[in-house]
């Protein structure tokens, strides 16, 4: 995916997330605007990592036969933790429980 396509996807995700939280309390939106941008970025990056993990698997085997955890999986799990923290923070700020049908983790587990 090109950088421009990636930026477009992040923007669309940002607008989608803003719409989810905008219904709750418009007055708080300026306070959390940067958090929404960060979580939109994380969402798109998580999707890309998911594709990589699906292609490469969670464990990589070297030419010598040794195995190691796919670095993409480590990045994915780390980013997922940050993503979940931001969503939890946004929900507490807006005093809502915005839940989606399937999040990035649900899709990954399928």
């Amino acid at each position: 995916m090109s950088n421009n396509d990636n930026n477009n996807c992040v923007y669309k995700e940002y607008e989608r997330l803003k719409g989810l939280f905008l219904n709750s309390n418009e007055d708080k939106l300026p306070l959390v605007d940067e958090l929404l941008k960060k979580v939109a970025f994380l969402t798109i990056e998580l999707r890309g990592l998911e594709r990589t993990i699906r292609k490469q698997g969670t464990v990589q085997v070297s030419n010598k036969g040794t195995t190691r955890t796919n670095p993409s999986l480590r990045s994915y799990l780390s980013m997922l933790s940050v993503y979940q923290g931001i969503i939890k923070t946004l929900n507490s700020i807006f005093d809502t429980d915005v839940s989606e049908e399937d999040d990035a983790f649900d899709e990954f587990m399928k």
Side-chain angles (χ1 to χ4, degrees):
M1 182 180 294
S2 74
N3 193 31
N4 195 29
D5 289 341
N6 199 29
N7 288 340
N8 192 29
C9 289
V10 170
Y11 178 76
K12 285 180 181 179
E13 181 64 12
Y14 164 75
E15 288 296 321
R16 187 186 75 80
L17 290 167
K18 192 166 78 169
L20 287 173
F21 288 101
L22 190 61
N23 295 331
S24 302
N25 190 336
E26 289 183 39
D27 298 335
K28 294 181 182 179
L29 196 58
L31 173 70
V32 297
D33 192 57
E34 277 303 311
L35 280 177
L36 290 172
K37 290 175 184 175
K38 301 290 186 227
V39 79
F41 171 80
L42 286 171
T43 300
I44 301 309
E45 290 299 311
L46 285 167
R47 287 180 190 158
L49 286 169
E50 287 170 17
R51 285 189 296 272
T52 301
I53 294 166
R54 279 191 202 104
K55 288 179 188 174
Q56 297 175 354
T58 57
V59 176
Q60 294 178 331
V61 181
S62 73
N63 294 340
K64 298 177 185 177
T66 59
T67 60
R68 70 176 183 159
T69 303
N70 185 338
S72 294
L73 178 62
R74 279 190 248 138
S75 295
Y76 178 85
L77 294 174
S78 177
M79 289 175 79
L80 184 61
S81 178
V82 172
Y83 171 88
Q84 290 170 330
I86 294 173
I87 293 296
K88 184 176 180 179
T89 299
L90 288 168
N91 279 330
S92 67
I93 289 171
F94 283 100
D95 196 31
T96 60
D97 186 20
V98 175
S99 58
E100 303 177 45
E101 298 80 43
D102 283 339
D103 64 7
F105 184 71
D106 292 331
E107 288 295 321
F108 176 71
M109 293 306 290
K110 290 179 183 177

